[in-house]
Amino acid sequence: MSDLLSPASLESARDAALAAFAAAGSLDALAAARTAHVGDRSLVAQARKAIGGLPGPEKAEAGKRVNVVAQAVSAALEARRVELEVERDERVLVEEAVDVTVLPPRPVGARHPLTTVSDRVADVFVAMGWEVAEGPEVEHEWFNFDALNFGGDHPAREMQDTLFVEPAGSGLVLRTHTSPVQVRSLLTRELPVYVVCPGRVYRADALDATHSPVFAQVEGLCVDEGITMAHLRGTLDHLATAMFGEGITTRIRPNYFPFTEPSAELDLQCFRCRGASAEPGGEPCRVCSSEGWIEWGGCGMVNPAVLRACGVDPERYSGFAFGMGLDRTLMFRHGITDIRDFYEGDQRFTLALGQEA
Ligand code: FA5
């Protein structure tokens, strides 16, 4: 009998294999031990080959011995493989774990104060059943000027006031006010119309503490039967109270706008001194320069020419409109002295005002 097939030799081959598997500290080391103890050149493989050279009666006996050893070796190999895989998986979980608590704190954002105040104004009107309307910022001159009854030579159309869109003659401008949304609303909606239109507008104004070439306005338009100036006053007082608190008063002074007749400038009683600074002996007030009033926007009764341009019968319908600066509204509300704060993108400003604007 080949020495390879002796019980002692087979047992020592098995023990050597089991010891090598136990000593393998990684799946790579186990793969190497497997080649050495289970591969073609291993003792067990050679013993299996040697069985063929045995005389018949001994073959079965030797085959059984080899099988017992081979099964023990492969069972030990499988058991060690499972152990090493579990160890590896646990190690990967620990080594590759992400500790989310070590991320740097993320800066907290806020809505821009102009967005907040614009929504707040819109809410006041939506609560009264009005709708919110929008229009494009790149607007056709017809909507921005012609339909609003601006004459062909009105100074507002000049380069010093209006930003024109190239090519010259395109008829497109950056809208200089939100009033073109009045025209769009009248042309596209059924009467009566009650719309509030907040939006960004552009003018060729130099940037200073109270003027910006881009700023925000909110427009209001109501066209219905029997609308009078009294409705305009009541609506503006309601808005002023919602924005500046109970007891605030508005004042209208005669003015001129091509699209309203009569037209008025809308003043707000100073929300800080409530007009007291203009009284004899009153404390001086920085906010209104002791005039007691501050200019907020323009307003008036919709000019019949505008109604006609939009296909509305001025004999049956009348309306009022108003438009005020949202930047100014915020400046009054919070005593902000420089409009540039809205446009410089300083997060501290946005965070301080964004939620409560
Ligand atoms: C108008 O723009 C009219 N469309 C308002 C109107 C609407 C009148 C409906 C009648 C009926 P005005 O040019 O006065 O009007 O501007 C209105 C408000 O916008 C001003 O009172 C001011 O609050 C604000 N405003 C004007 N120019 C600037 C600017 N460069 N920067 C910031 N706010 C401005």
Side-chain angles (χ1 to χ4, degrees):
M1 185 173 71
S2 157
D3 193 39
L4 274 173
L5 291 167
S6 72
S9 163
L10 284 170
E11 274 164 27
S12 107
R14 181 199 62 199
D15 293 348
L18 266 50
F21 298 159
S26 67
L27 286 165
D28 284 346
L30 186 66
R34 178 184 185 282
T35 309
H37 296 278
V38 185
D40 289 346
R41 292 207 223 132
S42 66
L43 290 174
V44 176
Q46 286 174 30
R48 205 185 287 285
K49 274 186 211 144
I51 297 170
L54 290 179
E58 287 178 30
K59 262 189 192 162
E61 197 60 28
K64 257 190 223 155
R65 275 202 305 280
V66 172
N67 274 346
V68 168
V69 167
Q71 272 165 17
V73 168
S74 52
L77 174 67
E78 181 58 16
R80 186 64 184 143
R81 188 184 63 76
V82 170
E83 264 174 29
L84 288 172
E85 276 183 2
V86 169
E87 271 176 40
R88 179 203 56 194
D89 291 349
E90 281 171 357
R91 199 173 52 248
V92 165
L93 279 179
V94 171
E95 284 171 3
E96 296 182 10
V98 177
D99 182 356
V100 288
T101 63
V102 300
L103 286 177
R106 285 198 302 166
V108 180
R111 280 153 40 104
H112 193 277
L114 283 172
T115 309
T116 310
V117 79
S118 157
D119 284 357
R120 185 159 300 190
V121 172
D123 283 351
V124 171
F125 287 93
V126 168
M128 297 192 290
W130 293 41
E131 290 178 278
V132 177
E134 289 186 330
E137 292 177 19
V138 175
E139 183 57 283
H140 198 280
E141 280 186 83
W142 189 82
F143 289 100
N144 197 79
F145 295 126
D146 299 77
L148 289 168
N149 199 36
F150 281 81
D153 54 358
H154 192 282
R157 294 186 187 240
E158 287 177 16
M159 296 280 278
Q160 302 93 293
D161 289 314
T162 301
L163 295 161
F164 289 86
V165 176
E166 290 191 322
S170 67
L172 295 176
V173 297
L174 293 184
R175 67 178 177 191
T176 57
H177 52 174
T178 40
S179 299
V181 189
Q182 287 187 29
V183 179
R184 289 182 175 274
S185 301
L186 285 174
L187 286 173
T188 54
R189 287 165 196 258
E190 295 288 316
L191 290 164
V193 165
Y194 288 81
V195 286
V196 60
C197 331
R200 206 175 292 143
V201 302
Y202 304 83
R203 289 186 193 174
D205 283 346
L207 183 64
D208 63 25
T210 52
H211 294 83
S212 164
V214 49
F215 59 100
Q217 282 191 339
V218 63
E219 190 87 7
L221 170 73
C222 136
V223 175
D224 202 343
E225 292 181 61
I227 296 297
T228 71
M229 204 101 177
H231 296 115
L232 171 61
R233 283 302 306 267
T235 306
L236 294 174
D237 280 346
H238 179 64
L239 176 62
T241 304
M243 301 310 292
F244 301 102
E246 211 52 62
I248 202 81
T249 316
T250 58
R251 171 177 85 172
I252 53 175
R253 286 178 288 121
N255 193 18
Y256 172 75
F257 293 104
F259 39 94
T260 44
E261 184 58 40
S263 302
E265 201 71 69
L266 169 65
D267 291 343
L268 191 67
Q269 191 183 49
C270 177
F271 58 91
R272 185 65 56 75
C273 72
R274 304 267 165 165
S277 65
E279 300 293 323
E283 286 275 304
C285 177
R286 251 182 57 238
V287 173
C288 64
S289 311
S290 303
E291 289 185 8
W293 299 92
I294 40 193
E295 184 196 313
W296 196 16
C299 62
M301 300 305 291
V302 181
N303 193 320
V306 174
L307 294 178
R308 270 193 294 274
C310 299
V312 176
D313 177 5
E315 298 299 323
R316 183 169 167 201
Y317 289 98
S318 56
F320 68 76
F322 58 86
M324 49 277 271
L326 282 173
D327 308 65
R328 300 259 170 104
T329 307
L330 266 184
M331 291 172 82
F332 300 154
R333 244 170 96 93
H334 295 284
I336 297 161
T337 50
D338 199 325
I339 199 171
R340 287 170 281 212
D341 287 339
F342 293 122
Y343 298 99
E344 282 173 350
D346 186 330
Q347 282 195 352
R348 290 168 301 177
F349 178 80
T350 308
L351 281 170
L353 270 188
Q355 304 311 324
E356 47 147 333

PDB file of all heavy atoms in Angstrom, residues 66-94:
ATOM      1  N   VAL A  66      -9.776   7.885   2.513  1.00  0.00           N
ATOM      2  CA  VAL A  66      -9.473   9.159   1.848  1.00  0.00           C
ATOM      3  C   VAL A  66     -10.705  10.072   1.890  1.00  0.00           C
ATOM      4  O   VAL A  66     -10.615  11.269   2.179  1.00  0.00           O
ATOM      5  CB  VAL A  66      -9.006   8.937   0.393  1.00  0.00           C
ATOM      6  CG1 VAL A  66      -8.892  10.257  -0.345  1.00  0.00           C
ATOM      7  CG2 VAL A  66      -7.679   8.205   0.374  1.00  0.00           C
ATOM      8  N   ASN A  67     -11.895   9.472   1.642  1.00  0.00           N
ATOM      9  CA  ASN A  67     -13.117  10.287   1.638  1.00  0.00           C
ATOM     10  C   ASN A  67     -13.376  10.918   2.997  1.00  0.00           C
ATOM     11  O   ASN A  67     -13.767  12.082   3.080  1.00  0.00           O
ATOM     12  CB  ASN A  67     -14.323   9.430   1.232  1.00  0.00           C
ATOM     13  CG  ASN A  67     -14.454   9.387  -0.277  1.00  0.00           C
ATOM     14  OD1 ASN A  67     -13.814  10.183  -0.975  1.00  0.00           O
ATOM     15  ND2 ASN A  67     -15.248   8.454  -0.778  1.00  0.00           N
ATOM     16  N   VAL A  68     -13.192  10.128   4.051  1.00  0.00           N
ATOM     17  CA  VAL A  68     -13.427  10.653   5.402  1.00  0.00           C
ATOM     18  C   VAL A  68     -12.526  11.864   5.644  1.00  0.00           C
ATOM     19  O   VAL A  68     -12.951  12.926   6.124  1.00  0.00           O
ATOM     20  CB  VAL A  68     -13.193   9.555   6.460  1.00  0.00           C
ATOM     21  CG1 VAL A  68     -13.150  10.147   7.869  1.00  0.00           C
ATOM     22  CG2 VAL A  68     -14.263   8.495   6.357  1.00  0.00           C
ATOM     23  N   VAL A  69     -11.244  11.704   5.266  1.00  0.00           N
ATOM     24  CA  VAL A  69     -10.301  12.809   5.474  1.00  0.00           C
ATOM     25  C   VAL A  69     -10.675  14.002   4.591  1.00  0.00           C
ATOM     26  O   VAL A  69     -10.720  15.163   5.049  1.00  0.00           O
ATOM     27  CB  VAL A  69      -8.855  12.327   5.183  1.00  0.00           C
ATOM     28  CG1 VAL A  69      -7.903  13.513   5.068  1.00  0.00           C
ATOM     29  CG2 VAL A  69      -8.403  11.384   6.278  1.00  0.00           C
ATOM     30  N   ALA A  70     -10.995  13.703   3.307  1.00  0.00           N
ATOM     31  CA  ALA A  70     -11.320  14.801   2.381  1.00  0.00           C
ATOM     32  C   ALA A  70     -12.540  15.574   2.872  1.00  0.00           C
ATOM     33  O   ALA A  70     -12.591  16.813   2.814  1.00  0.00           O
ATOM     34  CB  ALA A  70     -11.559  14.246   0.977  1.00  0.00           C
ATOM     35  N   GLN A  71     -13.553  14.849   3.401  1.00  0.00           N
ATOM     36  CA  GLN A  71     -14.756  15.542   3.890  1.00  0.00           C
ATOM     37  C   GLN A  71     -14.436  16.409   5.106  1.00  0.00           C
ATOM     38  O   GLN A  71     -14.923  17.531   5.232  1.00  0.00           O
ATOM     39  CB  GLN A  71     -15.829  14.516   4.264  1.00  0.00           C
ATOM     40  CG  GLN A  71     -16.677  14.164   3.066  1.00  0.00           C
ATOM     41  CD  GLN A  71     -17.509  12.902   3.307  1.00  0.00           C
ATOM     42  OE1 GLN A  71     -17.683  12.476   4.445  1.00  0.00           O
ATOM     43  NE2 GLN A  71     -17.973  12.302   2.231  1.00  0.00           N
ATOM     44  N   ALA A  72     -13.602  15.883   6.003  1.00  0.00           N
ATOM     45  CA  ALA A  72     -13.224  16.655   7.199  1.00  0.00           C
ATOM     46  C   ALA A  72     -12.494  17.928   6.774  1.00  0.00           C
ATOM     47  O   ALA A  72     -12.717  19.017   7.326  1.00  0.00           O
ATOM     48  CB  ALA A  72     -12.341  15.806   8.109  1.00  0.00           C
ATOM     49  N   VAL A  73     -11.608  17.781   5.770  1.00  0.00           N
ATOM     50  CA  VAL A  73     -10.833  18.939   5.311  1.00  0.00           C
ATOM     51  C   VAL A  73     -11.778  19.984   4.686  1.00  0.00           C
ATOM     52  O   VAL A  73     -11.714  21.174   5.007  1.00  0.00           O
ATOM     53  CB  VAL A  73      -9.733  18.496   4.315  1.00  0.00           C
ATOM     54  CG1 VAL A  73      -9.126  19.700   3.610  1.00  0.00           C
ATOM     55  CG2 VAL A  73      -8.662  17.693   5.036  1.00  0.00           C
ATOM     56  N   SER A  74     -12.697  19.518   3.801  1.00  0.00           N
ATOM     57  CA  SER A  74     -13.544  20.547   3.180  1.00  0.00           C
ATOM     58  C   SER A  74     -14.527  21.146   4.164  1.00  0.00           C
ATOM     59  O   SER A  74     -14.859  22.335   4.080  1.00  0.00           O
ATOM     60  CB  SER A  74     -14.210  20.083   1.894  1.00  0.00           C
ATOM     61  OG  SER A  74     -14.862  18.897   2.130  1.00  0.00           O
ATOM     62  N   ALA A  75     -14.993  20.386   5.157  1.00  0.00           N
ATOM     63  CA  ALA A  75     -15.885  20.971   6.169  1.00  0.00           C
ATOM     64  C   ALA A  75     -15.136  22.039   6.963  1.00  0.00           C
ATOM     65  O   ALA A  75     -15.668  23.135   7.244  1.00  0.00           O
ATOM     66  CB  ALA A  75     -16.411  19.881   7.097  1.00  0.00           C
ATOM     67  N   ALA A  76     -13.878  21.746   7.317  1.00  0.00           N
ATOM     68  CA  ALA A  76     -13.090  22.724   8.086  1.00  0.00           C
ATOM     69  C   ALA A  76     -12.838  23.974   7.244  1.00  0.00           C
ATOM     70  O   ALA A  76     -12.893  25.105   7.741  1.00  0.00           O
ATOM     71  CB  ALA A  76     -11.759  22.099   8.508  1.00  0.00           C
ATOM     72  N   LEU A  77     -12.575  23.755   5.949  1.00  0.00           N
ATOM     73  CA  LEU A  77     -12.324  24.886   5.055  1.00  0.00           C
ATOM     74  C   LEU A  77     -13.572  25.778   4.986  1.00  0.00           C
ATOM     75  O   LEU A  77     -13.495  27.009   5.124  1.00  0.00           O
ATOM     76  CB  LEU A  77     -11.979  24.346   3.657  1.00  0.00           C
ATOM     77  CG  LEU A  77     -11.819  25.397   2.572  1.00  0.00           C
ATOM     78  CD1 LEU A  77     -10.590  26.265   2.845  1.00  0.00           C
ATOM     79  CD2 LEU A  77     -11.688  24.741   1.187  1.00  0.00           C
ATOM     80  N   GLU A  78     -14.749  25.174   4.808  1.00  0.00           N
ATOM     81  CA  GLU A  78     -15.994  25.929   4.684  1.00  0.00           C
ATOM     82  C   GLU A  78     -16.287  26.697   5.979  1.00  0.00           C
ATOM     83  O   GLU A  78     -16.666  27.882   5.956  1.00  0.00           O
ATOM     84  CB  GLU A  78     -17.128  24.933   4.350  1.00  0.00           C
ATOM     85  CG  GLU A  78     -18.499  25.554   4.172  1.00  0.00           C
ATOM     86  CD  GLU A  78     -18.551  26.620   3.082  1.00  0.00           C
ATOM     87  OE1 GLU A  78     -17.621  26.697   2.254  1.00  0.00           O
ATOM     88  OE2 GLU A  78     -19.511  27.426   3.094  1.00  0.00           O
ATOM     89  N   ALA A  79     -16.078  26.013   7.123  1.00  0.00           N
ATOM     90  CA  ALA A  79     -16.377  26.658   8.404  1.00  0.00           C
ATOM     91  C   ALA A  79     -15.492  27.885   8.596  1.00  0.00           C
ATOM     92  O   ALA A  79     -15.941  28.948   9.047  1.00  0.00           O
ATOM     93  CB  ALA A  79     -16.172  25.660   9.540  1.00  0.00           C
ATOM     94  N   ARG A  80     -14.188  27.728   8.225  1.00  0.00           N
ATOM     95  CA  ARG A  80     -13.278  28.868   8.405  1.00  0.00           C
ATOM     96  C   ARG A  80     -13.633  30.012   7.444  1.00  0.00           C
ATOM     97  O   ARG A  80     -13.536  31.191   7.796  1.00  0.00           O
ATOM     98  CB  ARG A  80     -11.831  28.390   8.158  1.00  0.00           C
ATOM     99  CG  ARG A  80     -10.778  29.421   8.451  1.00  0.00           C
ATOM    100  CD  ARG A  80     -10.738  29.809   9.930  1.00  0.00           C
ATOM    101  NE  ARG A  80      -9.788  30.863  10.198  1.00  0.00           N
ATOM    102  CZ  ARG A  80      -9.967  31.842  11.071  1.00  0.00           C
ATOM    103  NH1 ARG A  80     -11.089  31.864  11.810  1.00  0.00           N
ATOM    104  NH2 ARG A  80      -9.059  32.761  11.258  1.00  0.00           N
ATOM    105  N   ARG A  81     -14.070  29.625   6.226  1.00  0.00           N
ATOM    106  CA  ARG A  81     -14.428  30.662   5.250  1.00  0.00           C
ATOM    107  C   ARG A  81     -15.594  31.510   5.789  1.00  0.00           C
ATOM    108  O   ARG A  81     -15.558  32.739   5.744  1.00  0.00           O
ATOM    109  CB  ARG A  81     -14.833  30.012   3.921  1.00  0.00           C
ATOM    110  CG  ARG A  81     -15.047  30.994   2.780  1.00  0.00           C
ATOM    111  CD  ARG A  81     -15.531  30.311   1.517  1.00  0.00           C
ATOM    112  NE  ARG A  81     -16.832  29.685   1.697  1.00  0.00           N
ATOM    113  CZ  ARG A  81     -17.999  30.351   1.735  1.00  0.00           C
ATOM    114  NH1 ARG A  81     -18.009  31.657   1.578  1.00  0.00           N
ATOM    115  NH2 ARG A  81     -19.137  29.708   1.926  1.00  0.00           N
ATOM    116  N   VAL A  82     -16.593  30.812   6.354  1.00  0.00           N
ATOM    117  CA  VAL A  82     -17.750  31.540   6.895  1.00  0.00           C
ATOM    118  C   VAL A  82     -17.299  32.470   8.029  1.00  0.00           C
ATOM    119  O   VAL A  82     -17.677  33.654   8.079  1.00  0.00           O
ATOM    120  CB  VAL A  82     -18.831  30.533   7.381  1.00  0.00           C
ATOM    121  CG1 VAL A  82     -19.923  31.249   8.169  1.00  0.00           C
ATOM    122  CG2 VAL A  82     -19.412  29.778   6.192  1.00  0.00           C
ATOM    123  N   GLU A  83     -16.428  31.936   8.916  1.00  0.00           N
ATOM    124  CA  GLU A  83     -15.938  32.757  10.040  1.00  0.00           C
ATOM    125  C   GLU A  83     -15.236  34.020   9.536  1.00  0.00           C
ATOM    126  O   GLU A  83     -15.476  35.126  10.006  1.00  0.00           O
ATOM    127  CB  GLU A  83     -14.885  31.953  10.831  1.00  0.00           C
ATOM    128  CG  GLU A  83     -15.416  31.240  12.046  1.00  0.00           C
ATOM    129  CD  GLU A  83     -14.321  30.358  12.672  1.00  0.00           C
ATOM    130  OE1 GLU A  83     -13.108  30.692  12.552  1.00  0.00           O
ATOM    131  OE2 GLU A  83     -14.717  29.346  13.237  1.00  0.00           O
ATOM    132  N   LEU A  84     -14.335  33.815   8.543  1.00  0.00           N
ATOM    133  CA  LEU A  84     -13.561  34.959   8.043  1.00  0.00           C
ATOM    134  C   LEU A  84     -14.449  35.974   7.318  1.00  0.00           C
ATOM    135  O   LEU A  84     -14.211  37.181   7.399  1.00  0.00           O
ATOM    136  CB  LEU A  84     -12.434  34.473   7.113  1.00  0.00           C
ATOM    137  CG  LEU A  84     -11.281  33.773   7.842  1.00  0.00           C
ATOM    138  CD1 LEU A  84     -10.313  33.144   6.827  1.00  0.00           C
ATOM    139  CD2 LEU A  84     -10.512  34.750   8.735  1.00  0.00           C
ATOM    140  N   GLU A  85     -15.480  35.489   6.635  1.00  0.00           N
ATOM    141  CA  GLU A  85     -16.375  36.432   5.948  1.00  0.00           C
ATOM    142  C   GLU A  85     -17.154  37.273   6.961  1.00  0.00           C
ATOM    143  O   GLU A  85     -17.324  38.479   6.783  1.00  0.00           O
ATOM    144  CB  GLU A  85     -17.348  35.670   5.033  1.00  0.00           C
ATOM    145  CG  GLU A  85     -16.699  35.370   3.693  1.00  0.00           C
ATOM    146  CD  GLU A  85     -17.644  34.676   2.713  1.00  0.00           C
ATOM    147  OE1 GLU A  85     -18.832  34.461   3.067  1.00  0.00           O
ATOM    148  OE2 GLU A  85     -17.184  34.343   1.620  1.00  0.00           O
ATOM    149  N   VAL A  86     -17.609  36.643   8.032  1.00  0.00           N
ATOM    150  CA  VAL A  86     -18.329  37.387   9.065  1.00  0.00           C
ATOM    151  C   VAL A  86     -17.409  38.448   9.665  1.00  0.00           C
ATOM    152  O   VAL A  86     -17.785  39.616   9.828  1.00  0.00           O
ATOM    153  CB  VAL A  86     -18.853  36.419  10.154  1.00  0.00           C
ATOM    154  CG1 VAL A  86     -19.366  37.201  11.368  1.00  0.00           C
ATOM    155  CG2 VAL A  86     -19.947  35.523   9.586  1.00  0.00           C
ATOM    156  N   GLU A  87     -16.152  38.030   9.956  1.00  0.00           N
ATOM    157  CA  GLU A  87     -15.186  38.998  10.516  1.00  0.00           C
ATOM    158  C   GLU A  87     -14.971  40.176   9.569  1.00  0.00           C
ATOM    159  O   GLU A  87     -14.951  41.329   9.977  1.00  0.00           O
ATOM    160  CB  GLU A  87     -13.824  38.306  10.726  1.00  0.00           C
ATOM    161  CG  GLU A  87     -13.691  37.643  12.081  1.00  0.00           C
ATOM    162  CD  GLU A  87     -12.352  36.896  12.185  1.00  0.00           C
ATOM    163  OE1 GLU A  87     -11.327  37.428  11.690  1.00  0.00           O
ATOM    164  OE2 GLU A  87     -12.377  35.792  12.727  1.00  0.00           O
ATOM    165  N   ARG A  88     -14.826  39.839   8.269  1.00  0.00           N
ATOM    166  CA  ARG A  88     -14.588  40.914   7.291  1.00  0.00           C
ATOM    167  C   ARG A  88     -15.775  41.876   7.227  1.00  0.00           C
ATOM    168  O   ARG A  88     -15.601  43.095   7.245  1.00  0.00           O
ATOM    169  CB  ARG A  88     -14.344  40.304   5.904  1.00  0.00           C
ATOM    170  CG  ARG A  88     -14.105  41.364   4.836  1.00  0.00           C
ATOM    171  CD  ARG A  88     -14.409  40.870   3.454  1.00  0.00           C
ATOM    172  NE  ARG A  88     -15.779  40.370   3.365  1.00  0.00           N
ATOM    173  CZ  ARG A  88     -16.228  39.641   2.354  1.00  0.00           C
ATOM    174  NH1 ARG A  88     -15.422  39.306   1.362  1.00  0.00           N
ATOM    175  NH2 ARG A  88     -17.485  39.228   2.331  1.00  0.00           N
ATOM    176  N   ASP A  89     -16.978  41.318   7.203  1.00  0.00           N
ATOM    177  CA  ASP A  89     -18.155  42.188   7.113  1.00  0.00           C
ATOM    178  C   ASP A  89     -18.250  43.109   8.326  1.00  0.00           C
ATOM    179  O   ASP A  89     -18.581  44.293   8.204  1.00  0.00           O
ATOM    180  CB  ASP A  89     -19.440  41.344   6.981  1.00  0.00           C
ATOM    181  CG  ASP A  89     -19.497  40.645   5.629  1.00  0.00           C
ATOM    182  OD1 ASP A  89     -18.662  40.985   4.758  1.00  0.00           O
ATOM    183  OD2 ASP A  89     -20.362  39.768   5.446  1.00  0.00           O
ATOM    184  N   GLU A  90     -17.962  42.556   9.495  1.00  0.00           N
ATOM    185  CA  GLU A  90     -18.039  43.389  10.703  1.00  0.00           C
ATOM    186  C   GLU A  90     -16.993  44.503  10.656  1.00  0.00           C
ATOM    187  O   GLU A  90     -17.247  45.641  11.027  1.00  0.00           O
ATOM    188  CB  GLU A  90     -17.814  42.534  11.958  1.00  0.00           C
ATOM    189  CG  GLU A  90     -19.079  41.764  12.326  1.00  0.00           C
ATOM    190  CD  GLU A  90     -18.860  40.738  13.427  1.00  0.00           C
ATOM    191  OE1 GLU A  90     -17.707  40.582  13.869  1.00  0.00           O
ATOM    192  OE2 GLU A  90     -19.863  40.099  13.812  1.00  0.00           O
ATOM    193  N   ARG A  91     -15.788  44.134  10.159  1.00  0.00           N
ATOM    194  CA  ARG A  91     -14.710  45.120  10.089  1.00  0.00           C
ATOM    195  C   ARG A  91     -15.082  46.247   9.106  1.00  0.00           C
ATOM    196  O   ARG A  91     -14.900  47.429   9.395  1.00  0.00           O
ATOM    197  CB  ARG A  91     -13.431  44.433   9.629  1.00  0.00           C
ATOM    198  CG  ARG A  91     -12.172  45.213   9.951  1.00  0.00           C
ATOM    199  CD  ARG A  91     -10.921  44.427   9.647  1.00  0.00           C
ATOM    200  NE  ARG A  91     -10.888  43.890   8.304  1.00  0.00           N
ATOM    201  CZ  ARG A  91     -10.949  42.597   8.007  1.00  0.00           C
ATOM    202  NH1 ARG A  91     -11.061  41.700   8.965  1.00  0.00           N
ATOM    203  NH2 ARG A  91     -10.920  42.198   6.752  1.00  0.00           N
ATOM    204  N   VAL A  92     -15.657  45.869   7.954  1.00  0.00           N
ATOM    205  CA  VAL A  92     -16.037  46.873   6.953  1.00  0.00           C
ATOM    206  C   VAL A  92     -17.078  47.821   7.534  1.00  0.00           C
ATOM    207  O   VAL A  92     -17.005  49.036   7.358  1.00  0.00           O
ATOM    208  CB  VAL A  92     -16.568  46.171   5.675  1.00  0.00           C
ATOM    209  CG1 VAL A  92     -17.309  47.157   4.784  1.00  0.00           C
ATOM    210  CG2 VAL A  92     -15.418  45.535   4.918  1.00  0.00           C
ATOM    211  N   LEU A  93     -18.031  47.232   8.273  1.00  0.00           N
ATOM    212  CA  LEU A  93     -19.079  48.096   8.859  1.00  0.00           C
ATOM    213  C   LEU A  93     -18.470  49.131   9.795  1.00  0.00           C
ATOM    214  O   LEU A  93     -18.867  50.290   9.814  1.00  0.00           O
ATOM    215  CB  LEU A  93     -20.087  47.243   9.644  1.00  0.00           C
ATOM    216  CG  LEU A  93     -21.158  46.555   8.803  1.00  0.00           C
ATOM    217  CD1 LEU A  93     -22.074  45.735   9.694  1.00  0.00           C
ATOM    218  CD2 LEU A  93     -21.983  47.584   8.039  1.00  0.00           C
ATOM    219  N   VAL A  94     -17.477  48.693  10.564  1.00  0.00           N
ATOM    220  CA  VAL A  94     -16.858  49.623  11.516  1.00  0.00           C
ATOM    221  C   VAL A  94     -15.973  50.623  10.775  1.00  0.00           C
ATOM    222  O   VAL A  94     -16.066  51.835  10.970  1.00  0.00           O
ATOM    223  CB  VAL A  94     -16.023  48.842  12.560  1.00  0.00           C
ATOM    224  CG1 VAL A  94     -15.207  49.796  13.426  1.00  0.00           C
ATOM    225  CG2 VAL A  94     -16.943  47.986  13.412  1.00  0.00           C
TER     226      VAL A  94
END
